[in-house]
Amino acid sequence: MDTIKVNDRNTAIKYVGQQLSRFSKEYAAVFAILIMGLVFSFMSPYFFTAQNIKNIFLQCSALAIVAMGQAFIILNGQFDMSLGQCVCFTSAVAAYLMKIEGINPWLSILVALLLGCLVGLTNGVLFAYFKIPAFIATLGLQMICRSAAKIITNATPIARLPDDIAFLGRGYIGIFPICVIIMIALYIVGQFVSRKTRFGRNIYATGGGAEAAYFAGINIKKTYCLTFALGGLLAAFGGIILMSRLDSVSLTNGNLYEFDSVIACVIGGLSLTGGKGKVIGALFGVIFLIIFFNGMTMMNIDPFYQDAIKGAVLVIAVLLDVFRNKRSK
Amino acid sequence: MDTIKVNDRNTAIKYVGQQLSRFSKEYAAVFAILIMGLVFSFMSPYFFTAQNIKNIFLQCSALAIVAMGQAFIILNGQFDMSLGQCVCFTSAVAAYLMKIEGINPWLSILVALLLGCLVGLTNGVLFAYFKIPAFIATLGLQMICRSAAKIITNATPIARLPDDIAFLGRGYIGIFPICVIIMIALYIVGQFVSRKTRFGRNIYATGGGAEAAYFAGINIKKTYCLTFALGGLLAAFGGIILMSRLDSVSLTNGNLYEFDSVIACVIGGLSLTGGKGKVIGALFGVIFLIIFFNGMTMMNIDPFYQDAIKGAVLVIAVLLDVFRNKRSK
Amino acid sequence: GAKTEEEVTEKEGKKLKVGVALLYKGDEWLAAISDEYERQAAELGYEINVQDGNQDNEKQTQQIENFITQQYDVIIASAADAQGIIPAIQKAEEAGIPVVSTDTPIEYSYVSTCVAWDNYETGVKLGEYAKKYIEENYADKEKVNLVMINAPSYPHLVKRDEGFLSIINTIDKVEIIATQDANGSREVSANIINNNIAKGIDMVYGVVDNHAWGAVTALEEAGAEECAVLSCGGYGDEPFTALSENHKYYKALIVVPPVDVVRDSLAAAVKAVNGEELEDITNTSFGLADSSNVKDYMD
Amino acid sequence: MNNTILQFKGIGKSFPGVKALDNVSFEIKKGHVHALMGENGAGKSTLIKLLAGIYTNYEGEIYLDGELLKLRTPNDAQKHGISVVHQEIKLAETLSITENIFLGNLIYKKGLVDWKEMKHRAQAMVEGLGMDLEVDMPVNQLTVAKKQIVEICKAINHDCKVLIMDEPSATLTEKELKILFGIMDKLIKDGITIIYISHRMEEIFNLANTITVLRDGKHIDTLPVKECDRKTLIKLMVGRSIGNEYPKEEIDIGDVILKAEHLTRKKVFKDISFELRKGEILGFSGLVGAGRTEVMRALVGIDHLDSGAVYLKGKKILIKSFQNAIANGLGLIPEDRRQQGLVQIAPVKENICMVGRNKVTRHGLIQASMEKDMSKHYVDKLDIATPNIETEVQYLSGGNQQKVVIAKWLLEDSEIIIMDEPTRGIDVGAKSEIYRLMCALVKQGKSIIMISSELPELLGMCDRIMVMHEGKLVGEMAARKATQEKIMELCT
Ligand SMILES: Nc1ncnc2c1ncn2[C@@H]1O[C@H](COP(=O)(O)OP(=O)(O)OP(=O)(O)O)[C@@H](O)[C@H]1O
Ligand SMILES: Nc1ncnc2c1ncn2[C@@H]1O[C@H](COP(=O)(O)OP(=O)(O)OP(=O)(O)O)[C@@H](O)[C@H]1O
Ligand SMILES: [Mg+2]
Ligand SMILES: [Mg+2]
């Protein structure tokens, strides 16, 4: 009896250990966030305050939504360089319609969302059906979206949008900002879709090995198209949140989101070769980036040095991830 | 006798046809250039003039040199996002040393070239030895280079450089600009290296199948490192040419070269998956891009529309390439 | 001025904390502004935090939010998007932190003042110079070919173009042969001139100094006979030396001395902290430098 | 003992959760063909990879010509005169045949690559193996079999003392094999030692001088081939004797379920007509390049058909895509297991459930518990050796990977399963399990088309055999009446 008990305990300990190591493997970004948070808390008295934490989440919201789209695309084995300009273009259309043309704000937003889908779908079709490398196809769409945004806005910010949509980016339910609630809700849905639905699994399978996925009867072209379209949709949605939060659309909205979202995904443990990682990782990656940025402003780091620090942190974060994966393997 | 002759002629015709189709397959960009040139010649009386053609080559030189580095890296199966900022950073160092510190210009240039190598080597080591995805590693270096360039120049252009180096970007031998001669010479060497030397073939082999190359006894890590270092070196060299041409270094030098060089390579028939295409293709791609820009400014196309046109042309150019490859296969 | 500043520092019993959300730092003039803030604040004994907004409204919003969390006493903002920044300003308002804008006026009542000059007016001033130049130097020409190298993606820079054009359009013999975007890049600007040089260029307008200098490079390269390059905003050794040496192409430049902008902005910030009423616009001086007067700007 | 060339002493190698090699010691004699035998996952390839300088971290010592061998990279191995044909084909896909043959071993003249000479030699070498290939062609346009030929050329192109071939025959048919054996004979005469791995028994008995058997990473025995017969060898490998190798049972064959009429795809195959009946196993035989794979690909909608018709249970159907074929009850086990069969980085369970998703779906959602149960069920049923169902399939041995592929179609429960080389690279034990599975399937009323390059298994398992040659059907016979000779005659 005794030996069995010992074994049981050992097994239990081993199990807990395994689960912990697995969690740490999947959510390394969470630990990175905690450590970074700790460091900043020591360095600035303002860091660990309710207001600042709220700020951080607020600042995450738009990027996190876009990054979720990028996460799906990365899981599918590609990445999308057009997302940032898609954010800008689609929200410019929404702002233009509701402000300049006086169209119903919700209708305008619907149009923007559809446009986002369309941009993504075009990427997907160019890639899947016309076999243009995704990097090139999405770069092309990036340029087209940029032009379109310039033309629509005439490079002049469209600001002071109808009050109906203010709550999206600036409203609260109790003490919780609505855009943060939306972000979290979207991630819950996204994580669920990626694990539990046929579409989600197709994304993983195609990303893990497109040919094998094809031979398992998965319509990989359709999967690519849908994933890119979803990416575009989420970019448009993120753009709307950003637009409401800033109460304006200017040409810089969504600037560099395509990079920041890829960086967030990689920090969040998604593999750039596809098929590996979790959608929710992108959220952790975004939080990491924003906390990092927040801390740098708080510590009054010379802006000239900030890029370099960001670059170094990016490399180190991924390096740690590589080492961890190696060890645990 | 008679039939043999006919056969001979047929074979000869077939042979010529094959060679032509092969040439067209490998150098599609050349045809694209010719066609585009023809169109512009009709649209603007200034286009097909000796001066304008000289101008086009002049404008190509710096980008073409950088694109050659990118071509090697792409042939090796990766791509380098840091090249543009590497151009800026290294030439800023050179300008700083020769102008502000009063160091011998050639020594300053040497330092810049070594720094370029070092940046490239760092990319290579991070990728090959530390297994950081090239996209992330080079993105990190890009940010670091950007910061460094800002710090060195304090965001203020360093201009009016010593006359000793003026000939590099602004000198002539007869009617031929020296920088164009350098560019062409470099491409001849580059093409030769890629075809005829061990290093060149190792790049192709590694790009065509890294594991196969490794199993066949090729030191793939070393190959990656050398290739990235070569890319950095060429970026620095391109930066020096650009610096001499503009007689100054400001933060916008080399801006977006990382993208333009990738685009040029793809238009020039290099495959982004590696191991396929020719170094010289990058030159044709650059010429294509510059002619395109030349024509657009000459025809005074609204800048707001230029991005979109560029994006569309990029996609179409690659699309044609894809179709051509498909047919010929 | 000086007295009130001391009052503040003593009253609070601690250093005045100033947060500056700078539009951008990657350009010579703005970098000089940033340095000037650091220098003057150190002299005055303020704690200052200058952040680079990278011409991105979202980034600036985040910076202002972070300033608010850190309870800065006053925020100085030069906005990339004068309207898109308003939600962030509203947060400052809720937190009771006064806001002073510079560069671009922010149309929101809470903003104490805008320390600025009129971009449109700078264009007008340069236009007037161009008109005079044409009358004096190109009197015998039937046509004057003008190339405009602008940056239409930036609204404040577009204002300069508009001001310049308001004068140019009154001169019949000027023909604008190209209007192209160089987006701040000398290389692109040089290439634009390069591509149009065959048409014969008599005058180049650069909305920022890099555009003007890119043009100069291309003109030198082509060995153009004569051509006047006018810069609608610049600062530093390079242009000043060129003007003082009577440069062959580079003829005139609009200057807004950073020392003045920063001095006025900090003064306004202190006044705002003290609750003084301020004019909507605090005008800073700007001037046009050419070979005759450039000595006044050099020190 | 100066005729010993290689000596293994206490070799051990572990992977997470697996002890792939465990205290293995034996010797290999100079100038011999030494066969390495063992079930899938026995550790054969792992042992080879130690010799190839790919795994450098292991227990024990290897002596080459009496000297301790310390390899750090594949390059070191080459320098020591060790040349390897790996089990998984590894070629630089975008490069030409010439360059692949000379990969890492280019010919230089005055320090520069001598293309002319290399092309010349490559052409000669390829022709020497009986292949008519344009050596400028990139290898990614070749079929698996032809790639294998290039691999072999690459390996024998090196000046080597020891040539190691890890299942070179898996993708080859009799014709190429004959040529390969001829070449091996010549190499042996030149004093080269060959280590040969294969799951095809006949080859071993024809070729080898000595056999070493591994089981579960342990050395079982090394013995001269003369002292060993098929039964003993199997027993040594599997640890038990397996009864009937081809457990074919007679069952009632039903109506025609699938009928193909005049299937044609230009330049690939022409005028292919056949019928498949319920409960039947229909074999397809032919040489490499006969077009068997291509016919099946077109049949299930992967490739476009230029003309011809397909009837399912008497009704004419138009298969527009592979998904469409699956919906119509067809399944395909592809020949390229690595690329096409499995998503390498996905866990075993996800691979098993990839086709038959609807079997683990409730209310439109994939149920983790059902997924687990189903995959556990098939792992047990097919005896798949894997640490657990979460393991990524890339870490399984070749044979076990193949079982995962089969499991996936068992779960989908297709009416008609097309198996393209289903037992390629699979050990005797597993093979007979797969045969048993095939029998069980036809018993349930399903039908099977089996493409195979191994005539014995076609003869042993099929009801009828179709023979293809250069894109055309050249014969059909009942398996009972067929012999190897008859088939070979038809397809050459
Ligand atoms: N890289 C690896 N990581 C983890 N486990 C591995 C790895 N390579 C092999 N293994 C495991 O080691 C064992 C031996 O594998 P090996 O490939 O040597 O078998 P094999 O005898 O060649 O089998 P087969 O006949 O199927 O090719 C197997 O259990 C396999 O799952
Ligand atoms: N990717 C390809 N490019 C060009 N030709 C091809 C390609 N794949 C196959 N072929 C051609 O199609 C024909 C049949 O190919 P394949 O060798 O797969 O036939 P098979 O009978 O299935 O042989 P096996 O199954 O033994 O490999 C051959 O003539 C081959 O050259
Ligand atoms: Mg093996
Ligand atoms: Mg086949």
Side-chain angles (χ1 to χ4, degrees):
Chain A
M1 270 302 265
D2 230 315
T3 39
I4 292 175
K5 249 190 194 153
V6 171
N7 268 346
D8 267 13
R9 230 188 47 219
N10 277 352
T11 330
I13 291 175
K14 215 169 141 191
Y15 179 80
V16 170
Q18 271 174 0
Q19 290 301 311
L20 257 180
S21 105
R22 193 167 147 192
F23 182 79
S24 95
K25 191 175 157 191
E26 275 174 6
Y27 300 108
V30 178
F31 287 88
I33 290 169
L34 292 180
I35 291 167
M36 200 166 56
L38 214 66
V39 172
F40 285 144
S41 303
F42 275 106
M43 293 176 93
S44 166
Y46 302 105
F47 182 82
F48 199 69
T49 58
Q51 192 189 12
N52 197 41
I53 288 169
K54 190 197 74 187
N55 264 350
I56 287 171
F57 275 99
L58 215 57
Q59 294 173 8
C60 284
S61 53
L63 177 58
I65 293 171
V66 180
M68 183 167 134
Q70 190 74 280
F72 277 109
I73 297 171
I74 287 179
L75 283 174
N76 205 7
Q78 305 302 325
F79 62 86
D80 187 338
M81 299 291 296
S82 73
L83 291 184
Q85 293 308 322
C86 182
V87 164
C88 185
F89 163 56
T90 52
S91 56
V93 169
Y96 177 83
L97 291 180
M98 67 180 74
K99 173 87 180 188
I100 317 275
E101 298 287 339
I103 289 174
N104 176 300
W106 298 110
L107 192 62
S108 311
I109 288 178
L110 188 69
V111 172
L113 295 178
L114 288 177
L115 264 179
C117 260
L118 191 70
V119 171
L121 196 63
T122 313
N123 281 323
V125 170
L126 285 175
F127 170 68
Y129 288 92
F130 292 99
K131 313 259 181 267
I132 297 184
F135 183 77
I136 297 293
T138 58
L139 206 58
L141 263 287
Q142 181 200 74
M143 296 182 205
I144 293 170
C145 285
R146 174 126 204 98
S147 260
K150 281 180 182 170
I151 294 165
I152 292 163
T153 60
N154 195 23
T156 315
I158 305 177
R160 312 202 164 198
L161 304 169
D163 285 340
D164 311 28
I165 64 151
F167 78 92
L168 277 175
R170 281 167 288 151
Y172 283 81
I173 294 179
I175 54 159
F176 299 107
I178 288 177
C179 56
V180 174
I181 296 174
I182 292 178
M183 168 186 89
I184 292 173
L186 276 177
Y187 266 92
I188 293 172
V189 174
Q191 179 64 36
F192 184 80
V193 166
S194 77
R195 296 304 305 166
K196 289 281 182 182
T197 67
R198 187 178 285 263
F199 172 54
R201 289 303 185 83
N202 287 353
I203 291 177
Y204 272 92
T206 307
E211 214 180 336
Y214 176 77
F215 277 92
I218 293 169
N219 190 339
I220 60 172
K221 292 184 181 177
K222 195 173 110 193
T223 306
Y224 283 126
C225 287
L226 287 178
T227 311
F228 274 106
L230 178 64
L233 176 67
L234 286 169
F237 195 77
I240 300 295
I241 297 288
L242 184 64
M243 165 179 97
S244 165
R245 184 161 124 70
L246 304 175
D247 198 18
S248 98
V249 175
S250 65
L251 280 184
T252 57
N253 280 27
N255 227 339
L256 299 184
Y257 268 29
E258 63 275 16
F259 286 110
D260 286 343
S261 58
V262 174
I263 293 175
C265 287
V266 173
I267 290 180
L270 282 90
S271 154
L272 282 183
T273 50
K276 239 175 172 171
K278 299 209 163 176
V279 169
I280 198 117
L283 178 59
F284 297 138
V286 169
I287 295 176
F288 179 91
L289 283 183
I290 297 285
I291 288 189
F292 179 68
F293 179 65
N294 181 289
M296 288 215 293
T297 346
M298 270 198 183
M299 294 192 296
N300 194 8
I301 306 268
D302 184 332
F304 279 180
Y305 288 83
Q306 290 189 10
D307 274 339
I309 299 174
K310 194 170 158 190
V313 166
L314 169 64
V315 169
I316 292 168
V318 177
L319 202 60
L320 292 178
D321 202 55
V322 170
F323 276 130
R324 210 175 26 67
N325 269 323
K326 209 170 162 186
R327 230 196 32 222
S328 75
K329 221 179 93 182
Chain B
M1 270 302 265
D2 231 314
T3 38
I4 291 175
K5 251 190 193 151
V6 171
N7 268 348
D8 266 13
R9 227 185 54 216
N10 276 354
T11 331
I13 291 174
K14 215 170 144 191
Y15 179 80
V16 171
Q18 270 173 359
Q19 290 302 314
L20 256 180
S21 103
R22 194 166 147 192
F23 182 82
S24 93
K25 191 176 158 190
E26 276 174 7
Y27 300 108
V30 177
F31 287 89
I33 290 169
L34 292 180
I35 291 167
M36 201 166 54
L38 214 67
V39 172
F40 285 146
S41 302
F42 275 106
M43 292 173 94
S44 165
Y46 302 106
F47 182 83
F48 197 69
T49 59
Q51 192 188 16
N52 195 44
I53 288 169
K54 188 201 74 189
N55 277 345
I56 286 170
F57 276 100
L58 214 58
Q59 294 175 22
C60 285
S61 54
L63 177 59
I65 293 171
V66 180
M68 183 167 134
Q70 190 73 281
F72 277 108
I73 298 170
I74 287 179
L75 283 173
N76 205 7
Q78 305 301 323
F79 60 86
D80 187 338
M81 298 292 296
S82 74
L83 290 184
Q85 292 308 321
C86 182
V87 163
C88 185
F89 162 57
T90 53
S91 56
V93 169
Y96 178 83
L97 290 180
M98 64 179 78
K99 173 87 180 187
I100 317 274
E101 299 287 340
I103 289 175
N104 176 299
W106 298 109
L107 192 63
S108 312
I109 287 178
L110 188 68
V111 172
L113 294 179
L114 288 177
L115 264 180
C117 260
L118 190 72
V119 170
L121 196 63
T122 312
N123 281 324
V125 170
L126 286 175
F127 170 68
Y129 289 92
F130 293 98
K131 313 259 181 268
I132 296 184
F135 183 77
I136 297 295
T138 59
L139 206 59
L141 262 287
Q142 179 200 77
M143 295 182 204
I144 292 170
C145 286
R146 176 129 202 96
S147 260
K150 280 180 182 170
I151 293 164
I152 291 164
T153 59
N154 193 23
T156 312
I158 304 179
R160 308 199 158 205
L161 304 169
D163 284 340
D164 312 27
I165 64 150
F167 78 92
L168 278 177
R170 281 168 288 151
Y172 282 81
I173 294 181
I175 54 159
F176 300 107
I178 288 178
C179 56
V180 174
I181 296 173
I182 293 178
M183 167 186 90
I184 292 174
L186 277 178
Y187 266 93
I188 292 173
V189 174
Q191 179 63 34
F192 183 80
V193 166
S194 78
R195 275 299 289 173
K196 287 282 191 175
T197 67
R198 183 184 298 262
F199 172 55
R201 294 330 288 175
N202 285 355
I203 291 177
Y204 272 91
T206 309
E211 223 179 336
Y214 178 68
F215 283 4
I218 293 170
N219 191 338
I220 60 169
K221 290 184 183 176
K222 196 174 109 194
T223 305
Y224 282 126
C225 287
L226 287 178
T227 310
F228 274 106
L230 178 64
L233 175 68
L234 286 169
F237 195 76
I240 300 295
I241 298 288
L242 184 63
M243 164 178 98
S244 167
R245 182 160 119 73
L246 302 177
D247 197 20
S248 86
V249 175
S250 64
L251 279 184
T252 54
N253 280 28
N255 229 338
L256 299 185
Y257 270 28
E258 63 275 17
F259 286 112
D260 285 342
S261 58
V262 173
I263 292 175
C265 287
V266 173
I267 289 180
L270 283 90
S271 154
L272 283 182
T273 49
K276 208 171 165 187
K278 301 210 162 176
V279 170
I280 197 115
L283 177 59
F284 297 138
V286 169
I287 295 176
F288 179 91
L289 284 183
I290 296 286
I291 289 189
F292 180 67
F293 179 71
N294 181 283
M296 287 215 296
T297 40
M298 205 170 258
M299 295 191 294
N300 200 17
I301 307 270
D302 184 334
F304 280 1
Y305 288 84
Q306 289 189 12
D307 274 339
I309 299 175
K310 196 171 159 187
V313 166
L314 169 64
V315 169
I316 292 169
V318 178
L319 202 60
L320 291 178
D321 203 53
V322 170
F323 275 130
R324 210 174 26 66
N325 271 322
K326 208 170 161 186
R327 230 198 31 223
S328 76
K329 220 179 97 178
Chain C
K3 218 177 197 173
T4 30
E5 281 148 20
E6 272 162 33
E7 273 174 21
V8 174
T9 15
E10 277 160 25
K11 194 168 67 190
E12 302 277 325
K14 61 178 170 93
K15 280 186 173 182
L16 184 74
K17 282 169 71 180
V18 186
V20 183
L22 199 63
L23 166 71
Y24 183 46
K25 204 182 160 185
D27 138 319
E28 52 193 316
W29 186 77
L30 284 158
I33 293 267
S34 171
D35 292 348
E36 201 56 41
Y37 270 118
E38 303 274 357
R39 197 182 62 76
Q40 293 193 19
E43 259 173 29
L44 296 165
Y46 303 162
E47 188 185 324
I48 199 156
N49 184 346
V50 186
Q51 288 296 324
D52 177 359
N54 207 20
Q55 316 191 35
D56 182 345
N57 183 35
E58 187 190 3
K59 207 161 179 201
Q60 288 199 302
T61 300
Q62 294 177 354
Q63 283 160 349
I64 291 173
E65 283 168 355
N66 293 346
F67 287 149
I68 296 167
T69 319
Q70 293 178 81
Q71 299 163 10
Y72 273 77
D73 297 312
V74 58
I75 292 168
I76 300 175
S78 55
D81 174 351
Q83 294 186 306
I85 201 78
I86 291 174
I89 307 282
Q90 283 168 338
K91 288 188 177 165
E93 183 177 15
E94 282 160 26
I97 300 172
V99 178
V100 168
S101 74
T102 66
D103 234 354
T104 327
I106 297 170
E107 283 169 38
Y108 185 66
S109 59
Y110 180 71
V111 176
S112 307
T113 183
C114 179
V115 181
W117 64 96
D118 193 332
N119 271 305
Y120 185 84
E121 283 303 320
T122 62
V124 171
K125 192 150 189 163
L126 196 66
E128 280 162 353
Y129 180 88
K131 188 171 184 182
K132 203 176 86 208
Y133 191 92
I134 289 167
E135 281 161 5
E136 286 171 8
N137 296 284
Y138 294 151
D140 45 349
K141 287 208 176 189
E142 265 177 30
K143 228 179 75 189
V144 173
N145 283 345
L146 171 70
V147 174
M148 296 194 58
I149 306 179
N150 60 358
S153 307
Y154 302 101
H156 66 290
L157 299 182
V158 172
K159 292 241 169 62
R160 297 183 188 173
D161 302 351
E162 287 165 2
F164 186 73
L165 285 174
S166 72
I167 305 293
I168 293 299
N169 287 339
T170 63
I171 314 170
D172 287 337
K173 65 181 181 179
V174 172
E175 189 188 339
I176 300 174
I177 57 171
T179 304
Q180 289 290 315
D181 181 0
N183 206 16
S185 161
R186 284 192 190 206
E187 189 191 2
V188 177
S189 170
N191 290 351
I192 290 167
I193 295 297
N194 225 315
N195 294 338
N196 285 287
I197 201 113
K199 298 177 187 167
I201 303 173
D202 302 306
M203 187 173 269
V204 177
Y205 159 91
V207 70
V208 294
D209 216 30
N210 266 341
H211 291 188
W213 283 104
V216 168
T217 311
L219 291 166
E220 279 172 349
E221 203 281 325
E225 290 234 325
E226 67 175 341
C227 179
V229 177
L230 313 177
S231 164
C232 205
Y235 184 76
D237 268 351
E238 189 184 13
F240 292 160
T241 317
L243 290 176
S244 70
E245 289 171 356
N246 226 332
H247 194 278
K248 185 171 178 201
Y249 305 115
Y250 193 86
K251 295 299 180 190
L253 143 99
I254 298 291
V255 190
V256 183
V259 189
D260 301 353
V261 180
V262 170
R263 187 194 54 231
D264 294 349
S265 306
L266 284 175
V270 170
K271 283 183 189 153
V273 173
N274 290 336
E276 289 178 38
E277 275 295 315
L278 290 164
E279 293 288 323
D280 280 353
I281 302 283
T282 307
N283 271 313
T284 318
S285 54
F286 70 86
L288 184 142
D290 63 5
S291 58
S292 66
N293 71 348
V294 67
K295 290 274 172 315
D296 306 344
Y297 292 95
M298 298 170 78
D299 41 23
Chain D
M1 286 293 282
N2 53 359
N3 68 340
T4 296
I5 186 159
L6 267 171
Q7 207 175 358
F8 298 91
K9 277 194 182 160
I11 302 296
K13 170 81 192 165
S14 300
F15 295 109
V18 197
K19 186 107 183 137
L21 291 173
D22 188 3
N23 196 18
V24 171
S25 306
F26 67 99
E27 288 176 358
I28 292 177
K29 296 229 164 61
K30 196 171 276 173
H32 274 200
V33 176
H34 194 114
L36 267 186
M37 302 292 291
E39 289 177 284
N40 295 123
K44 306 178 295 290
S45 298
T46 307
L47 191 69
I48 294 316
K49 285 180 183 165
L50 301 188
L51 269 179
I54 291 162
Y55 296 142
T56 52
N57 205 354
Y58 55 90
E59 300 153 19
E61 288 157 350
I62 303 173
Y63 293 88
L64 177 69
D65 276 333
E67 275 174 51
L68 182 63
L69 198 60
K70 265 284 157 223
L71 303 172
R72 270 166 296 115
T73 60
N75 197 11
D76 284 350
Q78 285 179 7
K79 282 184 191 148
H80 281 90
I82 298 169
S83 185
V84 189
V85 178
H86 287 285
Q87 181 174 13
E88 307 289 353
I89 297 171
K90 293 254 155 53
L91 294 172
E93 293 283 329
T94 55
L95 303 189
S96 66
I97 293 175
T98 305
E99 202 167 0
N100 270 290
I101 291 177
F102 287 92
L103 201 63
N105 191 24
L106 302 182
I107 300 176
Y108 296 91
K109 200 161 101 188
K110 294 185 196 142
L112 299 175
V113 178
D114 188 352
W115 285 105
K116 221 173 132 191
E117 176 68 20
M118 290 196 323
K119 268 183 209 169
H120 187 70
R121 286 205 211 167
Q123 193 73 53
M125 214 179 284
V126 171
E127 278 165 13
L129 273 169
M131 286 278 127
D132 176 27
L133 290 174
E134 175 70 44
V135 292
D136 279 337
M137 190 156 61
V139 296
N140 58 11
Q141 295 186 13
L142 301 178
T143 55
V144 184
K146 288 172 183 165
K147 283 182 188 174
Q148 183 71 55
I149 304 275
V150 176
E151 275 276 9
I152 293 168
C153 289
K154 181 170 79 171
I156 60 180
N157 181 38
H158 285 192
D159 284 329
C160 60
K161 288 192 273 195
V162 181
L163 176 64
I164 304 169
M165 296 202 258
D166 194 349
E167 301 195 31
S169 56
T171 56
L172 302 181
T173 47
E174 316 290 334
K175 188 177 145 215
E176 295 86 35
L177 276 177
K178 281 223 177 79
I179 298 169
L180 176 63
F181 296 156
I183 289 174
M184 284 168 65
D185 272 344
K186 217 176 107 239
L187 293 173
I188 293 292
K189 289 212 182 86
D190 294 346
I192 289 172
T193 309
I194 296 177
I195 302 176
Y196 193 86
I197 300 176
S198 173
H199 290 293
R200 299 188 182 182
M201 299 273 173
E202 314 85 58
E203 289 173 21
I204 302 301
F205 288 104
N206 287 337
L207 281 173
N209 308 97
T210 320
I211 298 176
T212 288
V213 178
L214 299 178
R215 193 197 312 149
D216 293 334
K218 294 192 189 70
H219 179 244
I220 300 299
D221 203 356
T222 297
L223 67 172
V225 77
K226 283 169 266 166
E227 295 173 17
C228 176
D229 61 17
R230 196 183 174 95
K231 279 238 165 65
T232 1
L233 183 55
I234 292 175
K235 194 162 179 201
L236 283 174
M237 284 166 61
V238 192
R240 63 188 152 85
S241 48
I242 45 176
N244 190 355
E245 252 187 84
Y246 300 112
K248 177 78 178 149
E249 290 168 47
E250 285 302 319
I251 55 162
D252 290 338
I253 294 186
D255 297 336
V256 172
I257 180 162
L258 180 83
K259 190 168 146 196
E261 267 185 0
H262 310 301
L263 303 183
T264 300
R265 183 170 157 79
K266 278 185 198 122
K267 288 189 199 152
V268 185
F269 54 83
K270 212 176 134 188
D271 203 14
I272 306 286
S273 305
F274 62 88
E275 287 177 351
L276 175 70
R277 291 166 179 274
K278 197 171 157 86
E280 185 182 36
I281 301 179
L282 177 64
F284 269 78
S285 177
L287 298 180
V288 168
R292 296 164 295 172
T293 302
E294 276 63 25
V295 171
M296 296 310 153
R297 281 171 64 101
L299 181 68
V300 298
I302 292 172
D303 291 334
H304 165 78
L305 265 180
D306 288 321
S307 64
V310 178
Y311 298 85
L312 198 65
K313 290 179 190 154
K315 256 191 284 169
K316 186 171 174 177
I317 55 164
L318 194 65
I319 293 174
K320 292 183 289 274
S321 67
F322 187 37
Q323 290 90 37
N324 200 225
I326 294 174
N328 276 305
L330 280 96
L332 173 73
I333 293 175
E335 60 178 336
D336 182 351
R337 158 173 78 227
R338 195 179 156 78
Q339 286 286 331
Q340 305 175 335
L342 296 165
V343 177
Q344 295 286 337
I345 62 166
V348 170
K349 69 168 185 194
E350 276 179 33
N351 271 293
I352 290 179
C353 301
M354 204 168 274
V355 190
R357 289 259 178 68
N358 47 339
K359 307 283 193 309
V360 295
T361 304
R362 284 282 172 281
H363 318 297
L365 298 177
I366 292 168
Q367 306 294 324
S369 57
M370 291 173 72
E371 208 178 13
K372 234 186 221 161
D373 294 345
M374 284 295 182
S375 34
K376 277 221 177 91
H377 173 73
Y378 283 103
V379 165
D380 291 344
K381 187 167 172 189
L382 306 194
D383 203 13
I384 300 173
T386 172
N388 57 56
I389 55 169
E390 309 286 343
T391 307
E392 294 174 14
V393 290
Q394 57 177 326
Y395 299 122
L396 302 190
S397 79
N400 284 306
Q401 290 191 1
Q402 184 68 5
K403 288 190 204 165
V404 176
V405 183
I406 294 175
K408 138 168 119 170
W409 290 99
L410 291 185
L411 176 62
E412 167 63 16
D413 205 18
S414 304
E415 287 283 304
I416 300 166
I417 302 182
I418 301 167
M419 301 180 166
D420 196 348
E421 310 280 6
T423 62
R424 171 176 293 174
I426 284 186
D427 69 49
V428 266
K431 255 184 201 168
S432 65
E433 281 175 53
I434 288 173
Y435 298 147
R436 245 177 277 282
L437 272 165
M438 289 169 70
C439 291
L441 285 173
V442 287
K443 242 188 193 165
Q444 289 167 29
K446 309 214 179 302
S447 313
I448 294 175
I449 294 177
M450 175 160 83
I451 300 179
S452 172
S453 299
E454 279 185 67
L455 291 176
E457 81 174 5
L458 283 179
L459 294 170
M461 288 306 298
C462 297
D463 298 296
R464 273 184 306 139
I465 299 172
M466 318 286 295
V467 185
M468 278 186 75
H469 179 58
E470 290 183 346
K472 291 193 202 91
L473 270 180
V474 291
E476 176 187 344
M477 57 189 90
R480 261 176 280 118
K481 293 184 190 152
T483 60
Q484 299 211 18
E485 291 71 33
K486 269 193 200 166
I487 295 176
M488 283 307 289
E489 202 172 299
L490 277 173
C491 61
T492 37

